[in-house]
Structure formats: structure tokens, C-alpha cells
């Protein structure tokens, strides 16, 4: 930082660039939030908004420019940078625009240049998000949120519901505002989908689609999507199919107030699919059920077809920006008995349990079980860890998967209960057989 003294006491501010740099070098979210609070300036808040508001998009990736060795902070550049960001939001990025941005960056001092470029490319990864910024400055940034599925446990299914296949894909929200189309991941990152967006450009109007991207190539979906997000030119987005399961009213999306129930949104989605001929966009097939037996029959059919599971949706629910009972996921659920061989302390809560390390009786399966515990259980189990060593436990998991080296592991293992009455854990062969 070239001799710049960090000042974190309330009322004594660093400049906005030094504050962001200090945040990146500080451990712990609470400490980062305090740094923001104690060094509040309008310039800092402006940069945070432009960096972490997912709805601000600048269209700049992989821009080459000369690095500047000057280390002296230049306060006069801030306003010019904000003007460039505003211009980019309303301009198609071409060579002239890229040259203008390049010229600006090359006159910025070293640290300003680095931070400005990361903001331009929406890649300011310093351990904070819009949510944590809002903890420092309440309501500063509109947070990017999606409707997320709650887990099916024993909810009543004896009513009219919609069942859809559960995709093992990459969640994606596509916003079409007139001629402007932007595709987002579930975390609010922009993902360039030229092929899909080109197909949507032929459709008139403004609307929002929610769905999952699935790769048709041997390259996995996550790999393809992550490369696209990073601007990797070696991957082609035409290997992706967009499976759409929701059609959201654009006005409601902009306002953040959702009233239209899924029955109406599903009708609009059907009309959207019927009226348009797509190659890379598919409307998710929906099945109407009226009771639990019908839902479970569809689930069994999905598993028989090697599908991940099913989604169960309530027709009377509006789009909710949270984990919702209006959208349930039912995936494969299995259980086995394993033996505790080690204990891992919680990374954030000292003197409490983070995870059991468990093995099968033949030690062919070894797994870290970190979920399923109550706070009280984490405290008690850590206190009693010497007594619990080699105790059997029942572990729930979704399915058995294999690493690239063909090593077996349990997908999403979580604790169900202690089984001290059992003298032996399950052997790997038994676990494999019961998972079929």
C-alpha cells in the first residue's frame, strides 16, 4: 500500500480505494463489515453499488491495457469512472468504446486501475456480497434473489399440484427488457448466452424466464457455464439447452413485488412455448397431480429413468424470493450406518462440532458428515467426543457417486441419529445394494 496508514477508527476515513483493498486483506465477514461502516464515504458506497448490484452490467471482458506503476491515489478519477460505468450500461460495447475504457484505465494509478477494472468486469472478489454490503449500509443495494426449492419431508400432497423433472443443471434467470437481454446465474453473475439470447431476440415484449441450463456435450454443464462467465473463448454456448419452468411478469420483477400465482405464470409459459419455435430453449414438461400416490409414482418413474428427482409446485403460490414451500424438491434419499472415527471442530463456533468423520465397517467408505445437527447437538457431541468415538450413527444421503478416480463417496451426507445399540457399521457392499 506504499506507506498508506490504515485508519479504521470510526470517523477517520481511508479513501475508497484503500478501503476496498483493506477489505480484501481482512479475514472475517464481521471485520469486513466494520471496515465499511468505519470508513463510510459517498465514493465508497458508489463503488460498492456499481460492483455488487447484479442489475448493473457493463459488457467488458478480457480488456488488454498497459499497467501503471504510479501508486499515488488520484481522487479526481472517481467521477470520470462513474460516468464511464453509466455510459457502458446504455451503450453497445464496440472497439471505440473499448478504446475509451482502455485509455481511462491506463491513466489510473496502480491500485485504482486494478480495482476499477475488477468493477468493470464484475469481478471484485474481496469476500463480500450485496448482502454483506447491506449489513453495513442498510438497503444500499438491491439483492439478486431467486425462488428456491424447499426440501420435501412429509408435506401434504393431496391437492392439485404440478410435478416437473428436476434437472441436474445450472440455474439461470434471463431478463428481456425490450431489445436488451441479460442472462444471470443464481448468484447474480452475468453469463453470456449468445445462442439462446439470439433466439429470444426474435420474441417481442419484456419478460423474465427462470430455468436450468444443461449441456448436451461431454463437457459438464458447470464447466461450460463457468468458462462462459470468465469470458473463455474456447467454449461454445450452443451446447447448452435452456429448460424453462417459470415465466415471470416483467413489471413485477422490476418492482420486486410478486402477486401472479404459478397457475397463471404456467399458462403464460405454455403460450410462450406454443407461439415460438426454439432450438436451444425447451419448456419443461408439467404433470398435474391430485394426491400423494400420483406424485410418488412420478418420482419412482424419474429415478427409474436415472433422473435426479422431481420438483413439486403449488399452483397458488406467487414467485417468492426465498426458499419456498411453493416449490419442493424430492430427490433420492438413502440411509446407512457408519462408525465415528474422528471429530472436526466447527470453523466459526469454537468448542462445538463441525463434522463427524465416519467410515463403513470395512473402511471402504470414508465421509465427512457436517449437516443435520442441531446447535445443541453440536455442543453436546463435541463435549462428549471421547465417549462417542467408534459409536455407530445413521447417516442420510441422496445417492452414491464416484470421483474421477472411481473412488466411491456419499452425495450430501447428513446426520440423522446416534445408533449406540449397533455393534457394527454397514459394509460397503450392503450400502451399494440398498442404494440400488
Amino acid at each position: 500500500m506504499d506507506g498508506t496508514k490504515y485508519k479504521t477508527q470510526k470517523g477517520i476515513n481511508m479513501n475508497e480505494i484503500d478501503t476496498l483493498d483493506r477489505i480484501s486483506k481482512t479475514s472475517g465477514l464481521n471485520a469486513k463489515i466494520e471496515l465499511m461502516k468505519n470508513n463510510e464515504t459517498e465514493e465508497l458506497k458508489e463503488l460498492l453499488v456499481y460492483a455488487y448490484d447484479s442489475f448493473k452490467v457493463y459488457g467488458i471482458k478480457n480488456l488488454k491495457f498497459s499497467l501503471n506503476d504510479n501508486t499515488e491515489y488520484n481522487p479526481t478519477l472517481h467521477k470520470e469512472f462513474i460516468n464511464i460505468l453509466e455510459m457502458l450500461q446504455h451503450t453497445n460495447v464496440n472497439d471505440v468504446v473499448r478504446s475509451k475504457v482502455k485509455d481511462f484505465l491506463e491513466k489510473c494509478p496502480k491500485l485504482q486501475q486494478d480495482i476499477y477494472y475488477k468493477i468493470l468486469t464484475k469481478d471484485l472478489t474481496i469476500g463480500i456480497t450485496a448482502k454483506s454490503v447491506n449489513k453495513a449500509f442498510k438497503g444500499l443495494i438491491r439483492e439478486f434473489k431467486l425462488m428456491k426449492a424447499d426440501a420435501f419431508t412429509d408435506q401434504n400432497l393431496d391437492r392439485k399440484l404440478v410435478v416437473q423433472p428436476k434437472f441436474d443443471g445450472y440455474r439461470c434467470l434471463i431478463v428481456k427488457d425490450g431489445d436488451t437481454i441479460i442472462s444471470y446465474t443464481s448468484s447474480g453473475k452475468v453469463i453470456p448466452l449468445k445462442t439462446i439470447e439470439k433466439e429470444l431476440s426474435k420474441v417481442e415484449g419484456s419478460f423474465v424466464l427462470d430455468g436450468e441450463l444443461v449441456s448436451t456435450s461431454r463437457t459438464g454443464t458447470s464447466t461450460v457455464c463457468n468458462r462462459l462467465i470468465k469470458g473463455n473463448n474456447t467454449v461454445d454456448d450452443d451446447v447448452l439447452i435452456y429448460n424453462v419452468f417459470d415465466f415471470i411478469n416483467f413489471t413485477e420483477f422490476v418492482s420486486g413485488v410478486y402477486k401472479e400465482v404459478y397457475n397463471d405464470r404456467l399458462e403464460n409459459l405454455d403460450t410462450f412455448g406454443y407461439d415460438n419455435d426454439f432450438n436451444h430453449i425447451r419448456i419443461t414438461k408439467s404433470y398435474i397431480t391430485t394426491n400423494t400416490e400420483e406424485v410418488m409414482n412420478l418420482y419412482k418413474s424419474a429415478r427409474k429413468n436415472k433422473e435426479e428427482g422431481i420438483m413439486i409446485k403449488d399452483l397458488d403460490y406467487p414467485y417468492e424470493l426465498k426458499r419456498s414451500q411453493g416449490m419442493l424438491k424430492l430427490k433420492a434419499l438413502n440411509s446407512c450406518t457408519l462408525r465415528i472415527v474422528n471429530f472436526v471442530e466447527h470453523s466459526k463456533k469454537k468448542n462445538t462440532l463441525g463434522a463427524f468423520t465416519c467410515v463403513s465397517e470395512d473402511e471402504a467408505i470414508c465421509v465427512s458428515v457436517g449437516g443435520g445437527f442441531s446447535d445443541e447437538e453440536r455442543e453436546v457431541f463435541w463435549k462428549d467426543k471421547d465417549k462417542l468415538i467408534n459409536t455407530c450413527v445413521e447417516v442420510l444421503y441422496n445417492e452414491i457417486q464416484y470421483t474421477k478416480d472411481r473412488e466411491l463417496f456419499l452425495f450430501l451426507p447428513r446426520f440423522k441419529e446416534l445408533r449406540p445399540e449397533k455393534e457394527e457399521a454397514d459394509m460397503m457392499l450392503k450400502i451399494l445394494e440398498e442404494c440400488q
Side-chain angles (χ1 to χ4, degrees):
M1 193 65 85
D2 300 290
T4 300
K5 184 178 179 182
Y6 293 130
K7 302 174 182 178
T8 60
Q9 298 92 343
K10 195 167 185 178
I12 305 177
N13 299 111
M14 294 183 280
N15 67 62
E16 69 280 5
I17 300 298
D18 285 348
T19 300
L20 292 174
D21 184 55
R22 182 65 184 274
I23 290 170
S24 72
K25 297 173 180 176
T26 298
S27 300
L29 182 58
N30 289 337
K32 292 174 186 285
I33 292 171
E34 283 303 307
L35 270 171
M36 286 187 279
K37 287 181 178 179
N38 293 342
N39 293 279
E40 177 182 355
T41 63
E42 288 306 310
E43 290 81 6
L44 173 64
K45 290 194 290 187
E46 276 191 308
L47 290 187
L48 289 170
V49 169
Y50 283 97
Y52 296 109
D53 186 337
S54 295
F55 302 100
K56 294 185 181 296
V57 180
Y58 315 119
I60 296 292
K61 287 284 184 184
N62 301 324
L63 183 66
K64 293 182 180 181
F65 54 91
S66 299
L67 299 179
N68 195 331
D69 292 330
N70 179 17
T71 59
E72 186 175 351
Y73 167 73
N74 185 341
T76 65
L77 293 172
H78 176 82
K79 186 174 181 180
E80 185 177 354
F81 181 54
I82 298 302
N83 290 337
I84 286 176
L85 293 173
E86 282 295 318
M87 177 268 294
L88 288 171
Q89 290 181 82
H90 305 96
T91 305
N92 291 324
V93 177
N94 52 33
D95 289 343
V96 174
V97 172
R98 291 173 70 85
S99 179
K100 183 176 181 179
V101 175
K102 175 179 176 290
D103 291 343
F104 169 77
L105 288 172
E106 289 182 341
K107 71 180 182 181
C108 294
K110 186 175 182 180
L111 188 55
Q112 276 176 281
Q113 186 184 69
D114 179 61
I115 287 177
Y116 285 167
Y117 180 68
K118 288 175 179 176
I119 292 174
L120 278 164
T121 56
K122 303 294 284 190
D123 193 32
L124 187 63
T125 51
I126 57 174
I128 60 175
T129 63
K131 184 176 181 180
S132 43
V133 170
N134 285 337
K135 288 183 179 180
F137 311 118
K138 187 175 181 180
L140 182 65
I141 302 175
R142 177 184 172 183
E143 295 180 38
F144 187 91
K145 294 182 179 180
L146 299 176
M147 185 173 184
K148 295 185 177 180
D150 210 344
F152 171 75
T153 51
D154 58 352
Q155 291 94 332
N156 181 10
L157 304 179
D158 293 328
R159 63 189 186 282
K160 188 176 179 180
L161 297 166
V162 167
V163 173
Q164 297 169 342
K166 185 180 187 309
F167 299 101
D168 184 14
Y170 208 96
R171 188 79 177 270
C172 177
L173 194 81
I174 299 183
V175 180
K176 185 177 186 297
D177 180 7
D179 294 332
T180 302
I181 303 173
I182 303 175
S183 303
Y184 297 95
T185 68
S186 60
S187 61
K189 291 185 177 180
V190 173
I191 176 170
L193 301 172
K194 293 181 180 179
T195 303
I196 293 170
E197 290 169 6
K198 184 177 180 180
E199 291 186 16
L200 286 174
S201 67
K202 300 174 183 177
V203 183
E204 294 184 357
S206 300
F207 51 82
V208 180
L209 302 177
D210 195 355
E212 293 239 359
L213 297 165
V214 176
S215 173
T216 59
S217 74
R218 296 179 65 181
T219 305
T221 304
S222 292
T223 300
V224 173
C225 291
N226 287 329
R227 287 176 181 174
L228 288 171
I229 292 168
K230 293 176 181 178
N232 189 323
N233 295 323
T234 64
V235 63
D236 199 335
D237 71 304
D238 69 359
V239 301
L240 294 173
I241 298 295
Y242 186 43
N243 299 280
V244 187
F245 49 69
D246 212 332
F247 189 98
I248 303 164
N249 180 284
F250 182 77
T251 302
E252 290 189 355
F253 174 78
V254 172
S255 68
V257 179
Y258 298 87
K259 296 181 179 179
E260 196 169 48
V261 298
Y262 191 54
N263 183 72
D264 297 334
R265 304 199 309 274
L266 196 57
E267 287 183 3
N268 292 334
L269 179 59
D270 288 340
T271 301
F272 168 78
Y274 183 80
D275 290 345
N276 297 283
D277 185 21
F278 299 118
N279 293 318
H280 293 80
I281 301 171
R282 294 176 185 167
I283 308 305
T284 301
K285 192 166 186 179
S286 298
Y287 301 88
I288 300 296
T289 62
T290 57
N291 55 61
T292 301
E293 183 180 1
E294 292 175 352
V295 174
M296 292 305 167
N297 284 339
L298 287 169
Y299 169 72
K300 291 175 184 176
S301 177
R303 293 300 298 159
K304 187 176 181 180
N305 293 330
K306 304 296 183 182
E307 295 172 2
E308 190 177 37
I310 59 172
M311 304 298 294
I312 308 165
K313 301 183 179 181
D314 194 311
L315 291 164
D316 296 325
Y317 266 69
Y319 195 88
E320 296 186 311
L321 302 180
K322 62 179 183 178
R323 200 166 295 282
S324 173
Q325 285 285 307
M327 182 165 68
L328 303 176
K329 55 185 175 184
L330 176 55
K331 305 199 296 184
L333 188 63
N334 300 283
S335 70
C336 63
T337 301
L338 301 176
R339 185 182 302 280
I340 303 171
V341 295
N342 199 9
F343 303 83
V344 178
E345 188 175 13
H346 200 289
S347 61
K348 297 181 180 179
K349 300 177 181 178
K350 296 296 183 183
N351 298 317
T352 62
L353 179 71
F356 288 148
T357 302
C358 299
V359 298
S360 57
E361 194 65 29
D362 52 8
E363 298 186 357
I365 297 175
C366 181
V367 62
S368 177
V369 181
F373 303 101
S374 67
D375 289 342
E376 182 181 358
E377 285 173 333
R378 290 187 185 278
E379 292 180 6
V380 172
F381 292 164
W382 184 256
K383 183 179 179 181
D384 295 341
K385 57 183 181 294
D386 292 340
K387 300 177 183 177
L388 292 175
I389 195 74
N390 288 322
T391 299
C392 287
V393 294
E394 186 169 352
V395 174
L396 300 176
Y397 64 97
N398 286 78
E399 58 188 346
I400 291 175
Q401 295 185 353
Y402 296 87
T403 66
K404 292 180 179 179
D405 298 323
R406 300 302 295 168
E407 292 181 359
L408 179 151
F409 69 95
L410 306 183
F411 182 60
L412 296 180
R414 55 262 195 209
F415 170 78
K416 182 180 180 184
E417 60 185 344
L418 295 175
R419 299 300 298 271
E421 77 282 4
K422 289 200 171 188
E423 296 182 356
E424 290 187 354
D426 293 337
M427 302 285 281
M428 181 182 72
L429 184 59
K430 181 182 178 183
I431 295 173
L432 287 170
E433 290 174 346
E434 293 188 350
C435 190
Q436 298 301 316

